[in-house]
Amino acid sequence: MAELWTILKALNWTADAFKSRDIPSARLEAEVLLAHVLGIERIGLYTSFDRPLSPQEKSDYRELVKRRFSGEPCQYITGNQEFWSLDFEVSSAVLVPRPDTEVLVEEALSFLDTRDRKGKVLDVG
């Protein structure tokens, strides 16, 4: 008989496995992948942490975890990335926006505010 895996057990195991492979934000990435598989918001993981995963959910999650182990970014696996409070579709054909890029956008907007927004902006990336 297969071992019963709850949402919490899956998250804990995956976060530990990601940490051991030096994957940054291990817990967050485990949450994002499991929420994606289950089709729920991340908060839903904690409101039902003792819910067992179905064999199909466990299998689907395992496949996503394997992809992350191989180095594929979480954003490419789920197909989206939040940036500046907006949700963007992403694929391997695009660069994943990084948090420091949000800081750059905020600094550019702040700079333009000091000039009454008369500057021009060119996005070369």
Side-chain angles (χ1 to χ4, degrees):
M1 183 171 151
E3 183 181 357
L4 181 68
W5 277 59
T6 63
I7 287 174
L8 186 60
K9 184 171 184 168
L11 287 176
N12 288 339
W13 184 92
T14 307
D16 288 344
F18 283 174
K19 283 179 197 169
S20 73
R21 289 171 171 80
D22 295 323
I23 293 175
S25 305
R27 182 65 177 214
L28 173 63
E29 292 205 13
E31 292 172 0
V32 168
L33 293 177
L34 187 54
H36 179 74
V37 165
L38 300 178
I40 61 175
E41 298 290 323
R42 283 180 40 227
I43 189 69
L45 299 172
Y46 292 95
T47 59
S48 56
F49 68 88
D50 57 347
R51 174 171 104 45
L53 298 179
S54 72
Q56 186 62 53
E57 291 168 338
K58 187 176 174 185
S59 174
D60 292 347
Y61 185 56
R62 185 182 301 116
E63 290 306 311
L64 298 190
V65 169
K66 285 180 186 176
R67 289 172 62 186
R68 188 64 189 101
F69 282 163
S70 73
E72 186 175 358
C74 190
Q75 297 89 342
Y76 292 169
I77 296 169
T78 63
N80 63 42
Q81 169 65 37
E82 187 265 333
F83 179 79
W84 231 48
S85 300
L86 300 170
D87 195 39
F88 287 89
E89 283 187 34
V90 296
S91 72
S92 60
V94 301
L95 295 174
V96 175
R98 297 184 351 210
D100 52 337
T101 307
E102 288 190 3
V103 173
L104 180 63
V105 169
E106 289 168 3
E107 289 296 319
L109 290 174
S110 176
F111 177 77
L112 289 174
D113 277 343
T114 64
R115 299 181 178 267
D116 294 324
R117 294 192 185 253
K118 292 181 182 172
K120 293 185 179 183
V121 177
L122 174 63
D123 179 359
V124 187

